[in-house]
Amino acid sequence: MSSRSGNIQEYETRDQLPDRSASPPVPESSELETEGLVFYHMDLYGSKERFDIFPEEPRGQGDRSPEDIREESALSSKKLQSTQAAGYDLGKEVEELAKMYGLDEDREKELELLGGHLGMVESKRPPAHTSGAQGSLYNASKSNSSVKDRSQSTKQQGFHYEASQDEDQNKAGADNEAQSHTWSREGLSSYGVSDEQSSQAVAEEEEAADVFCSTCKIPIRAFDKLFGEHKDHEVAQLHSAVESEKEEIHKNMCKLEEQIAQMENFASHLEEIFITVEENFGRQEQIFEVHYNDAVQVLGQKYEEQVEALGEEKRKKLEALYGQLVTCGEHLDTCKELTDTTQELYLENDKADFIKAAVTMVDRLEEFLKKEVDLELSMLPDFEERVIDFSEVEQLMNSINTIPAPCAPVINPQAANAAIGTSLRVCWGLFSDDTVECYQLCYKPVSNERCGEEQAEHMLKVKETYCTITNLLPNTQYEFWVSALNASGISPPSERAVYVTAPSPPTIKTKKIRSCENAALVCWESRDINPVDSYTVELSKLADEENGDIITESIIGIPNCEALIHLQPTQRYRISVRALNLGGSSERSEPVLIHTTGTYFCLNEDTAHPLLAILDDGFTIACDELENPECDLPVYDNSFTRCIGILGSLIPFPGRHYWEVEVEEDTEYRIGVAFENTPRHGYLGANNSSWCIRHIITPSRHKYEFLHSGMTPDIRITIPPRRIGILLDYENCKLSFFNADIAQHLYTFKSHFQHFVHPCFALETPGILRIHNGIAVPLGTAFP
């Protein structure tokens, strides 16, 4: 690879010069022109015209013909004329590049180093002894070897120049000029510079490197980026590259440590597997022995049973045959006795005696012959063939080659965000080499201490080591355990693990939302019986309603059911809430819209006097009659009992707050602010915990009082206000009242508010008051 100085020499002698659409003007006469040299600027950005000059791969230096050189010289002259005419500001471009790469302070130093390096190399060249373009080039370089002159020329012309030769010189020195286009290590040798000297020059350049080329992955000088072969490459500051490489090495070391930890864990797991194999072998050997002993025992039992049954059959046969033999003998004895008696009867000579004996004998013979003689064998001598049942033995023999019943699985603890409101995912594992056909998962809700009833159990059979259970109750704890099954039986159950489903979406209390120009207090309630871990408030700023541009932010880790959110003035926000527990996050609540154009509050119905009614819009109060002996309306503990009034929700935001109240001219009222502990059995403004304006109609005029602790200044208002503006300024300790219709300031209380206050309203005659909040402070001289 050629050195940086070689690239500079190449640009000094190259005829193929890039064209520019604009270039700085070149003086018509200069010292260089007298020696045949003309300066021109360098293309710092690699313009399209530069690459158009080299449409094809350049040929070798030795292959260039004088005709090619003449054509290239003529083309370069035309390009140079066009760039001179355009008037390109090179100095400005160089300054911008130097500033881009952090070199604006060290540019002069770099140029001086470059000039000194070129001077050193030129001093090592042999005296000029060539003719033509090469000799002119050497003389031009020698005459401009001064660091100061070269630095100045660099600022004006960008170190890019060419030697303008006449046609005869180009012909004579074409070959020598082609050899001098690349100032590499070999080029230095051709000028008499040794390899040792060129290596020293390269080493000096490497020592001066102060930026890092991200493309070539090597440190280079800043000058090489501006004018050298690294011009189109991406570079970075050297210290940044060092930090980046250190960071990359650190990342790789972290990955290597992770791999080491993984391999150590795997090696530990292999050791456990070795131990498990030994344990399983011992257990399997015991199982074989038990099965073989059981098979032998079953065979012995079968043999004894068959022999006993065969002996019992023999006994029955012999007993039956012996009984039949005895009966046959008795029958033969009877026949023989009858035969002998009959023969004796034939020998009787006395006819009378014969007749008597013959009649009796005949009756006896008839009676005997009437009896049937059973001549069939009651038992056959052959024994029936017995089929021996070896199914139990075969089952035992077959079970010897089958797997044992599996061990108990291990159920995993619940993973974060693995559940939703009505379902969750349970995982377990089997840390043995047992074969499992399926798993039996059982679960039931965790019994509540307040509910003594036993919860029903549910069972599922699954193939995998995980299962998603549905149709569950939100924010409810469930107890899970699992067993493994195969052909040999079922394993013991695992230990029980408690999982919990995600909560239900919270419900935002719309009527309790309070806001001002830069904040909002949002309250909500949980729909679950069991408590949750935290809440997350999600707010979306409706930046462009037409285009639907929504910017979403989240506030996490809120422990209670309310949050004070800082917002930007004059914006529209959509706010929703999620509840979180170990199982995961609930769905979003129904969103609410908040406008930060002014202070917004609601009326607290618990503080309203029984005769005071709140209309459907929620911001209009009315009273029809002052006396109602039969009033059966509910009275709350916090309600006003004497003053027909009501408090608005607390304004807990520092700063200024403004709202307006629309009144009727013939209605008497009290309007102002009060502390939370203002007496409910008294009148507003009659104590030191409330400030208000009071309107009274007298026979002669409308009277207005500004009451605090029962005291009022002597102020007369000639124009009755129809729309009263109230401006509360916590920081400046002021409470001001205005006639909003004519922008007239009425009165200002100056009091240090030790606590946040509530807007308060009261009617002293039948009528209505309409409250307008969420509006900005009007513009006018009366409004500070």
Side-chain angles (χ1 to χ4, degrees), residues 13 18 184 208 236 240 296 300 313 328 402 446 568 588 595 618 659 770 778:
T13 59
S184 60
S240 299
V296 172
E313 184 180 1
C328 184
T402 58
V446 175
Q568 297 178 1
R588 289 188 181 94
H595 301 260
W659 63 94
R770 293 184 177 89

Side-chain angles (χ1 to χ4, degrees), residues 8-18 26 32-33 35-41 69-81 83-84 133 136-137 140 157 159-165 170 177 181:
I8 296 298
Q9 181 67 13
E10 178 182 358
Y11 282 117
E12 290 176 348
T13 59
R14 178 173 293 175
D15 287 333
Q16 299 90 341
L17 299 177
V26 180
L32 293 178
E33 288 189 17
E35 297 185 14
L37 295 177
V38 177
F39 280 87
Y40 73 102
H41 74 279
I69 296 175
R70 285 196 299 271
E71 292 177 2
E72 293 171 358
S73 178
L75 181 60
S76 300
S77 299
K78 294 180 181 179
K79 299 291 184 178
L80 181 58
Q81 292 175 3
T83 56
Q84 291 175 354
S136 299
L137 174 62
Q157 303 296 337
F159 277 100
H160 204 172
Y161 56 90
E162 67 172 325
S164 59
Q165 309 296 339
N170 286 333
E177 186 179 1
H181 275 206

Side-chain angles (χ1 to χ4, degrees), residues 1-11 13 61 117 121 125 178-195 197-199 201-202 205 229:
M1 181 177 67
S2 62
S3 65
R4 169 68 200 132
S5 56
N7 292 333
I8 296 298
Q9 181 67 13
E10 178 182 358
Y11 282 117
T13 59
Q61 296 181 0
H117 181 67
V121 176
R125 291 186 180 180
Q179 295 176 359
S180 64
H181 275 206
T182 303
W183 190 0
S184 60
R185 190 178 297 270
E186 292 79 9
L188 291 173
S189 300
S190 65
Y191 286 107
V193 181
S194 63
D195 293 341
Q197 292 173 340
S198 62
S199 300
V202 173
E205 293 177 0
E229 60 181 344

Side-chain angles (χ1 to χ4, degrees), residues 406-409 411 426 428 436-443 457-467 469 480-486 489-495:
C407 299
I411 195 166
V426 183
W428 59 89
V436 176
E437 295 181 358
C438 65
Y439 295 93
Q440 180 175 291
L441 178 65
C442 301
Y443 66 95
E457 296 183 2
H458 304 272
M459 185 186 69
L460 297 173
K461 285 191 176 182
V462 294
K463 293 287 186 181
E464 297 80 10
T465 56
Y466 59 88
C467 182
I469 297 92
F480 290 87
W481 63 96
V482 62
S483 301
L485 292 84
N486 61 14
I490 184 172
S491 72
S494 66
E495 294 185 358

Side-chain angles (χ1 to χ4, degrees), residues 21 68 113 302 308 385 417 482 619:
S21 60
D68 295 336
L113 291 174
K302 292 290 182 181
E308 184 178 356
E385 294 183 1
N417 300 321
V482 62
F619 295 99

Side-chain angles (χ1 to χ4, degrees), residues 202-258:
V202 173
E204 291 177 358
E205 293 177 0
E206 293 178 353
E207 291 176 358
D210 54 0
V211 295
F212 181 76
C213 179
S214 302
T215 305
C216 300
K217 303 298 182 183
I218 58 173
I220 62 173
R221 297 189 308 164
F223 185 82
D224 294 346
K225 168 59 184 174
L226 295 176
F227 310 107
E229 60 181 344
H230 302 279
K231 174 183 176 182
D232 299 328
H233 296 177
E234 295 182 2
V235 298
Q237 292 292 336
L238 195 58
H239 65 86
S240 299
V242 171
E243 294 298 329
S244 176
E245 292 299 327
K246 287 183 178 180
E247 184 178 357
E248 190 67 25
I249 292 175
H250 178 70
K251 291 180 180 179
N252 292 332
M253 289 297 296
C254 292
K255 293 180 180 179
L256 184 60
E257 291 177 357
E258 291 178 0

Side-chain angles (χ1 to χ4, degrees), residues 644-662:
I644 306 176
I646 187 173
L647 295 180
S649 53
L650 186 70
I651 302 178
F653 314 109
R656 302 200 314 166
H657 306 279
Y658 180 80
W659 63 94
E660 295 179 352
V661 181
E662 186 178 349

